[in-house]
Protein backbone atom coordinates (compact mmCIF):
# COMPACT_ATOMS: atom_id res chain seq x y z
CA UNK A 1 0.00 0.00 0.00
CA UNK A 2 1.39 3.41 -1.01
CA UNK A 3 -0.21 6.42 0.67
CA UNK A 4 1.57 8.74 -1.77
CA UNK A 5 -0.17 7.01 -4.67
CA UNK A 6 -3.47 7.29 -2.82
CA UNK A 7 -2.91 11.03 -2.31
CA UNK A 8 -2.19 11.44 -6.02
CA UNK A 9 -5.31 9.43 -6.94
CA UNK A 10 -7.52 11.47 -4.58
CA UNK A 11 -6.22 14.80 -5.89
CA UNK A 12 -6.57 13.67 -9.54
CA UNK A 13 -10.18 12.65 -8.85
CA UNK A 14 -10.80 16.11 -7.35
CA UNK A 15 -9.30 18.24 -10.14
CA UNK A 16 -9.89 15.92 -13.16
CA UNK A 17 -6.44 16.60 -14.58
CA UNK A 18 -3.04 14.94 -14.21
CA UNK A 19 -1.34 18.23 -15.10
CA UNK A 20 -3.19 20.17 -12.39
CA UNK A 21 -2.60 17.33 -9.92
CA UNK A 22 1.13 17.59 -10.56
CA UNK A 23 1.05 21.37 -10.09
CA UNK A 24 -0.88 21.24 -6.82
CA UNK A 25 1.21 18.42 -5.33
CA UNK A 26 4.55 19.77 -6.56
CA UNK A 27 5.27 16.73 -8.72
CA UNK A 28 6.10 16.16 -12.37
CA UNK A 29 3.28 15.08 -14.65
CA UNK A 30 5.16 11.89 -15.47
CA UNK A 31 5.35 11.05 -11.75
CA UNK A 32 1.58 11.49 -11.43
CA UNK A 33 0.89 9.37 -14.53
CA UNK A 34 3.29 6.68 -13.28
CA UNK A 35 1.62 6.56 -9.85
CA UNK A 36 -1.87 6.17 -11.36
CA UNK A 37 -0.68 3.55 -13.84
CA UNK A 38 1.02 1.67 -10.99
CA UNK A 39 -2.22 1.65 -8.98
CA UNK A 40 -4.19 0.45 -11.99
CA UNK A 41 -1.75 -2.44 -12.47
CA UNK A 42 -1.96 -3.23 -8.75
CA UNK A 43 -5.79 -3.22 -8.78
CA UNK A 44 -6.00 -4.85 -12.23
CA UNK A 45 -8.55 -2.35 -13.64
CA UNK A 46 -8.51 1.25 -14.92
CA UNK A 47 -9.26 4.09 -12.50
CA UNK A 48 -9.65 6.89 -15.05
CA UNK A 49 -10.94 7.38 -18.57
CA UNK A 50 -8.30 9.46 -20.33
CA UNK A 51 -9.21 12.12 -22.90
CA UNK A 52 -6.87 14.59 -24.60
CA UNK A 53 -6.88 17.19 -21.83
CA UNK A 54 -9.11 15.81 -19.08
CA UNK A 55 -9.64 12.64 -17.10
CA UNK A 56 -12.78 11.11 -15.64
CA UNK A 57 -13.17 8.46 -12.96
CA UNK A 58 -14.35 5.03 -14.04
CA UNK A 59 -17.13 3.46 -11.98
CA UNK A 60 -14.52 1.28 -10.24
CA UNK A 61 -12.53 4.44 -9.50
CA UNK A 62 -15.62 6.08 -7.99
CA UNK A 63 -16.26 2.99 -5.85
CA UNK A 64 -12.72 3.12 -4.42
CA UNK A 65 -12.48 6.89 -3.93
CA UNK A 66 -14.38 7.13 -0.63
CA UNK A 67 -12.43 4.23 0.92
CA UNK A 68 -9.09 5.66 -0.19
CA UNK A 69 -10.01 9.06 1.23
CA UNK A 70 -10.96 7.33 4.48
CA UNK A 71 -7.50 5.73 4.60
CA UNK A 72 -5.86 9.12 4.01
CA UNK A 73 -8.10 10.70 6.68
CA UNK A 74 -7.11 8.12 9.31
CA UNK A 75 -3.44 8.45 8.36
CA UNK A 76 -3.66 12.23 8.80
CA UNK A 77 -5.49 11.75 12.10
CA UNK A 78 -2.68 9.43 13.30
CA UNK A 79 -0.10 12.11 12.48
CA UNK A 80 -2.15 14.71 14.34
CA UNK A 81 -2.50 12.52 17.44
CA UNK A 82 1.24 11.85 17.49
CA UNK A 83 1.89 15.60 17.19
CA UNK A 84 -0.57 16.29 20.03
CA UNK A 85 1.20 13.75 22.27
CA UNK A 86 4.45 15.57 21.53
CA UNK A 87 2.88 18.88 22.53
CA UNK A 88 2.19 20.15 18.99
CA UNK A 89 -1.07 20.97 17.23
CA UNK A 90 -0.53 20.19 13.55
CA UNK A 91 -2.73 19.07 10.69
CA UNK A 92 -5.02 20.10 7.87
CA UNK A 93 -8.76 20.78 8.01
CA UNK A 94 -10.75 20.73 4.78
CA UNK A 95 -13.92 22.79 5.27
CA UNK A 96 -16.99 23.04 3.03
CA UNK A 97 -18.45 26.56 3.12
CA UNK A 98 -21.22 28.52 1.41
CA UNK A 99 -20.82 32.15 0.36
CA UNK A 100 -22.35 33.99 3.32
CA UNK A 101 -20.18 31.95 5.71
CA UNK A 102 -17.10 32.74 3.59
CA UNK A 103 -17.90 36.44 3.81
CA UNK A 104 -19.13 36.84 7.37
CA UNK A 105 -17.49 34.14 9.49
CA UNK A 106 -14.51 32.45 7.89
CA UNK A 107 -12.06 35.41 7.89
CA UNK A 108 -12.45 35.79 11.66
CA UNK A 109 -12.29 32.05 12.32
CA UNK A 110 -9.12 31.62 10.25
CA UNK A 111 -7.53 34.63 11.94
CA UNK A 112 -8.21 33.06 15.34
CA UNK A 113 -6.95 29.65 14.15
CA UNK A 114 -3.70 31.20 12.89
CA UNK A 115 -3.27 33.01 16.19
CA UNK A 116 -4.04 30.01 18.43
CA UNK A 117 -2.99 27.04 16.29
CA UNK A 118 -0.50 28.35 13.70
CA UNK A 119 0.51 24.85 12.56
CA UNK A 120 -3.03 23.84 11.53
CA UNK A 121 -3.79 24.56 7.87
CA UNK A 122 -7.35 25.42 6.81
CA UNK A 123 -8.43 24.54 3.26
CA UNK A 124 -11.76 25.94 2.02
CA UNK A 125 -14.06 24.57 -0.68
CA UNK A 126 -17.11 26.72 -1.49
CA UNK A 127 -20.45 25.40 -2.71
CA UNK A 128 -24.14 25.24 -1.84
CA UNK A 129 -25.93 22.99 0.67
CA UNK A 130 -26.22 20.04 -1.71
CA UNK A 131 -22.59 20.24 -2.83
CA UNK A 132 -21.29 20.43 0.74
CA UNK A 133 -23.41 17.42 1.74
CA UNK A 134 -21.99 15.43 -1.19
CA UNK A 135 -18.42 16.43 -0.30
CA UNK A 136 -19.01 15.24 3.27
CA UNK A 137 -20.49 11.93 2.12
CA UNK A 138 -17.64 11.45 -0.39
CA UNK A 139 -15.02 12.29 2.29
CA UNK A 140 -13.80 15.24 0.21
CA UNK A 141 -14.04 17.56 3.26
CA UNK A 142 -13.56 16.95 6.98
CA UNK A 143 -16.38 19.23 8.06
CA UNK A 144 -18.86 21.57 6.41
CA UNK A 145 -21.35 24.29 7.16
CA UNK A 146 -24.86 23.01 6.45
CA UNK A 147 -28.54 23.70 6.98
CA UNK A 148 -29.48 21.76 10.12
CA UNK A 149 -32.69 20.54 8.45
CA UNK A 150 -30.69 18.20 6.24
CA UNK A 151 -31.57 14.51 6.53
CA UNK A 152 -28.69 13.17 4.43
CA UNK A 153 -26.04 13.46 7.15
CA UNK A 154 -27.46 11.26 9.91
CA UNK A 155 -24.08 9.61 10.51
CA UNK A 156 -22.34 12.95 11.09
CA UNK A 157 -22.11 15.01 14.25
CA UNK A 158 -23.79 18.38 13.61
CA UNK A 159 -23.01 21.27 15.95
CA UNK A 160 -25.70 23.96 15.88
CA UNK A 161 -24.13 27.40 15.46
CA UNK A 162 -26.79 29.98 14.55
CA UNK A 163 -30.50 30.35 13.86
CA UNK A 164 -31.48 33.39 11.80
CA UNK A 165 -34.70 34.68 10.19
CA UNK A 166 -35.53 34.80 6.52
CA UNK A 167 -36.47 38.38 5.64
CA UNK A 168 -38.11 40.09 2.69
CA UNK A 169 -36.24 42.82 0.79
CA UNK A 170 -38.17 45.43 -1.21
CA UNK A 171 -37.31 48.64 -3.03
CA UNK A 172 -38.01 52.02 -1.41
CA UNK A 173 -40.24 52.57 -4.47
CA UNK A 174 -42.26 49.40 -3.88
CA UNK A 175 -45.89 49.74 -2.68
CA UNK A 176 -44.90 47.24 0.04
CA UNK A 177 -42.24 49.60 1.40
CA UNK A 178 -44.36 50.91 4.28
CA UNK A 179 -45.61 47.51 5.47
CA UNK A 180 -44.53 46.15 8.87
CA UNK A 181 -44.85 42.52 7.76
CA UNK A 182 -44.98 40.77 4.39
CA UNK A 183 -47.98 38.46 4.00
CA UNK A 184 -48.48 35.39 1.83
CA UNK A 185 -50.69 37.49 -0.43
CA UNK A 186 -47.89 40.05 -0.84
CA UNK A 187 -45.45 37.31 -1.85
CA UNK A 188 -47.86 35.81 -4.36
CA UNK A 189 -48.88 39.13 -5.94
CA UNK A 190 -45.55 40.97 -6.21
CA UNK A 191 -42.95 40.04 -8.86
CA UNK A 192 -40.55 37.70 -7.07
CA UNK A 193 -36.81 37.24 -7.60
CA UNK A 194 -35.90 33.67 -6.67
CA UNK A 195 -32.36 32.99 -5.38
CA UNK A 196 -31.27 29.77 -7.07
CA UNK A 197 -28.04 28.96 -5.28
CA UNK A 198 -27.35 29.40 -1.59
CA UNK A 199 -30.78 29.64 0.06
CA UNK A 200 -32.93 28.02 -2.64
CA UNK A 201 -33.69 24.99 -0.43
CA UNK A 202 -34.72 27.22 2.51
CA UNK A 203 -37.23 29.08 0.34
CA UNK A 204 -38.55 25.96 -1.35
CA UNK A 205 -39.26 24.43 2.06
CA UNK A 206 -40.93 27.64 3.30
CA UNK A 207 -43.17 27.84 0.22
CA UNK A 208 -44.08 24.15 0.37
CA UNK A 209 -44.88 24.09 4.10
CA UNK A 210 -47.15 27.14 3.79
CA UNK A 211 -48.64 26.38 0.34
CA UNK A 212 -47.24 29.62 -1.09
CA UNK A 213 -47.04 30.11 -4.86
CA UNK A 214 -44.73 33.07 -5.51
CA UNK A 215 -45.04 35.10 -8.68
CA UNK A 216 -41.49 34.30 -9.89
CA UNK A 217 -40.31 36.86 -12.44
CA UNK A 218 -36.57 36.20 -12.30
CA UNK A 219 -34.24 33.49 -11.02
CA UNK A 220 -30.75 34.56 -10.03
CA UNK A 221 -27.73 32.83 -8.46
CA UNK A 222 -25.85 35.97 -7.43
CA UNK A 223 -26.99 37.83 -4.31
CA UNK A 224 -25.48 41.14 -5.49
CA UNK A 225 -27.54 40.92 -8.68
CA UNK A 226 -30.65 40.23 -6.62
CA UNK A 227 -30.10 43.36 -4.53
CA UNK A 228 -29.51 45.42 -7.68
CA UNK A 229 -32.76 44.16 -9.19
CA UNK A 230 -34.66 44.87 -5.97
CA UNK A 231 -33.14 48.37 -5.81
CA UNK A 232 -34.49 49.00 -9.31
CA UNK A 233 -37.95 47.86 -8.21
CA UNK A 234 -38.00 44.83 -10.50
CA UNK A 235 -39.33 42.61 -7.75
CA UNK A 236 -39.02 41.51 -4.14
CA UNK A 237 -36.98 38.67 -2.70
CA UNK A 238 -36.56 36.68 0.52
CA UNK A 239 -33.10 36.00 1.93
CA UNK A 240 -31.44 34.94 5.21
CA UNK A 241 -30.54 37.86 7.47
CA UNK A 242 -26.80 37.18 7.18
CA UNK A 243 -26.81 37.69 3.42
CA UNK A 244 -28.51 41.10 3.49
CA UNK A 245 -25.93 43.93 3.52
CA UNK A 246 -26.28 46.75 6.02
CA UNK A 247 -26.76 50.36 4.98
CA UNK A 248 -28.58 49.98 1.65
CA UNK A 249 -30.87 52.99 1.85
CA UNK A 250 -32.72 52.09 -1.35
CA UNK A 251 -33.79 48.73 0.08
CA UNK A 252 -36.18 48.08 2.97
CA UNK A 253 -35.87 44.86 4.99
CA UNK A 254 -39.26 43.64 6.26
CA UNK A 255 -40.06 40.59 8.45
CA UNK A 256 -42.36 37.87 7.15
CA UNK A 257 -45.83 37.54 8.65
CA UNK A 258 -45.22 33.77 8.76
CA UNK A 259 -41.87 33.68 10.54
CA UNK A 260 -39.29 31.42 8.92
CA UNK A 261 -35.72 30.67 9.98
CA UNK A 262 -32.69 28.74 8.84
CA UNK A 263 -30.33 27.04 11.28
CA UNK A 264 -26.68 26.79 10.36
CA UNK A 265 -24.67 23.90 11.72
CA UNK A 266 -21.20 22.46 11.30
CA UNK A 267 -21.34 18.82 10.15
CA UNK A 268 -18.27 16.86 11.26
CA UNK A 269 -16.85 13.55 10.07
CA UNK A 270 -16.35 11.01 12.83
CA UNK A 271 -14.14 10.02 14.46
CA UNK A 272 -13.14 13.66 14.75
CA UNK A 273 -9.46 14.45 14.25
CA UNK A 274 -7.59 16.72 16.70
CA UNK A 275 -7.27 19.50 14.09
CA UNK A 276 -10.98 19.40 13.22
CA UNK A 277 -11.80 19.45 16.93
CA UNK A 278 -9.76 22.65 17.33
CA UNK A 279 -11.50 24.27 14.35
CA UNK A 280 -14.91 23.26 15.74
CA UNK A 281 -14.07 24.86 19.10
CA UNK A 282 -13.03 28.10 17.34
CA UNK A 283 -16.25 28.09 15.27
CA UNK A 284 -18.43 27.54 18.34
CA UNK A 285 -16.64 30.25 20.34
CA UNK A 286 -16.92 32.75 17.46
CA UNK A 287 -20.67 32.15 17.06
CA UNK A 288 -21.21 32.30 20.82
CA UNK A 289 -19.34 35.62 20.99
CA UNK A 290 -21.29 37.17 18.08
CA UNK A 291 -24.59 36.10 19.66
CA UNK A 292 -23.57 37.70 22.96
CA UNK A 293 -22.55 40.96 21.28
CA UNK A 294 -25.83 41.17 19.36
CA UNK A 295 -28.01 40.69 22.45
Amino acid sequence: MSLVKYEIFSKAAEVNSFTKTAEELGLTQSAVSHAITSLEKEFNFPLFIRNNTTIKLTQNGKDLLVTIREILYYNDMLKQEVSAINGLNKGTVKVGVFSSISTNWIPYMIKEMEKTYPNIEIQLIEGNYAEIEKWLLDSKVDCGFVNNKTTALRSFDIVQLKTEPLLCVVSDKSPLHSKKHISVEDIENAPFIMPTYQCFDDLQLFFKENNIHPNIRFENMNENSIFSMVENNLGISILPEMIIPKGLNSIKVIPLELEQTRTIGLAIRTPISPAVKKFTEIAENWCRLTRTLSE
Side-chain angles (χ1 to χ4, degrees):
M1 180 179 74
S2 171
L3 292 176
V4 173
K5 292 179 185 177
Y6 287 178
E7 288 173 359
I8 292 172
F9 169 66
S10 178
K11 177 58 69 173
E14 178 184 336
V15 300
N16 296 317
S17 166
F18 288 161
T19 302
K20 194 169 182 181
T21 298
E23 291 173 355
E24 295 199 14
L25 296 181
L27 302 170
T28 63
Q29 186 171 342
S30 62
V32 169
S33 298
H34 178 75
I36 297 300
T37 300
S38 175
L39 277 180
E40 290 176 327
K41 288 180 179 178
E42 181 182 335
F43 296 153
N44 201 32
F45 52 76
L47 297 170
F48 291 97
I49 301 169
R50 284 121 166 123
N51 295 318
N52 290 333
T53 57
T54 61
I55 57 174
K56 182 180 179 182
L57 279 171
T58 62
Q59 186 56 53
N60 288 331
K62 291 179 182 178
D63 292 341
L64 289 182
L65 180 59
V66 173
T67 302
I68 284 177
R69 283 179 171 164
E70 285 290 320
I71 292 170
L72 293 173
Y73 177 75
Y74 278 96
N75 180 63
D76 187 56
M77 187 161 64
L78 173 62
K79 292 178 181 178
Q80 292 178 31
E81 289 177 351
V82 170
S83 296
I85 290 171
N86 288 314
L88 299 172
N89 289 295
K90 298 177 66 176
T92 300
V93 183
K94 297 179 181 178
V95 188
V97 298
F98 47 86
S99 60
S100 57
I101 296 294
S102 298
T103 303
N104 294 283
W105 289 4
I106 286 297
Y108 305 97
M109 291 178 181
I110 290 181
K111 185 177 180 180
E112 188 61 31
M113 285 292 295
E114 290 179 343
K115 174 184 173 184
T116 311
Y117 307 110
N119 295 315
I120 295 178
E121 179 187 0
I122 305 297
Q123 296 180 0
L124 304 176
I125 308 177
E126 187 169 307
N128 59 20
Y129 296 150
E131 289 169 328
I132 294 171
E133 285 182 10
K134 187 176 188 306
W135 296 336
L136 286 161
L137 293 169
D138 290 346
S139 301
K140 186 175 180 179
V141 296
D142 303 317
C143 58
F145 293 91
V146 297
N147 184 328
N148 270 24
K149 293 178 182 177
T150 180
T151 58
L153 302 174
R154 293 187 181 91
S155 62
F156 289 76
D157 286 342
I158 299 182
V159 178
Q160 181 173 318
L161 297 174
K162 180 182 176 68
T163 298
E164 63 173 352
L166 300 185
L167 301 169
C168 186
V169 289
V170 307
S171 166
D172 58 1
K173 302 178 184 65
S174 168
L176 302 177
H177 181 263
S178 60
K179 298 201 69 168
K180 293 184 177 180
H181 295 89
I182 298 297
S183 66
V184 170
E185 185 179 3
D186 294 329
I187 297 170
E188 293 184 330
N189 290 337
F192 193 83
I193 303 167
M194 172 66 82
T196 57
Y197 189 57
Q198 182 182 162
C199 57
F200 176 79
D201 293 338
D202 298 304
L203 285 181
Q204 288 292 92
L205 180 62
F206 172 55
F207 293 150
K208 182 178 179 180
E209 288 180 342
N210 295 285
N211 196 28
I212 298 172
H213 304 282
N215 174 24
I216 298 175
R217 184 179 181 187
F218 301 107
E219 297 184 1
N220 203 310
M221 291 181 65
N222 186 289
E223 288 94 6
N224 291 329
S225 297
I226 292 173
F227 293 126
S228 179
M229 295 173 85
V230 171
E231 282 184 300
N232 285 280
N233 201 27
L234 295 175
I236 67 172
S237 192
I238 297 174
L239 297 162
E241 183 179 44
M242 189 190 301
I243 295 177
I244 303 171
K246 305 294 189 292
L248 286 179
N249 296 329
S250 56
I251 285 181
K252 175 83 175 291
V253 181
I254 306 175
L256 300 173
E257 194 170 74
L258 296 176
E259 293 184 2
Q260 184 74 3
T261 61
R262 75 165 177 176
T263 300
I264 299 170
L266 184 65
I268 307 161
R269 288 175 61 184
T270 55
I272 183 170
S273 72
V276 174
K277 185 175 182 181
K278 299 301 183 186
F279 177 77
T280 302
E281 291 170 357
I282 292 292
E284 286 187 281
N285 289 338
W286 162 253
C287 292
R288 190 180 300 115
L289 175 62
T290 53
R291 281 198 304 270
T292 301
L293 292 176
S294 63
E295 291 174 354

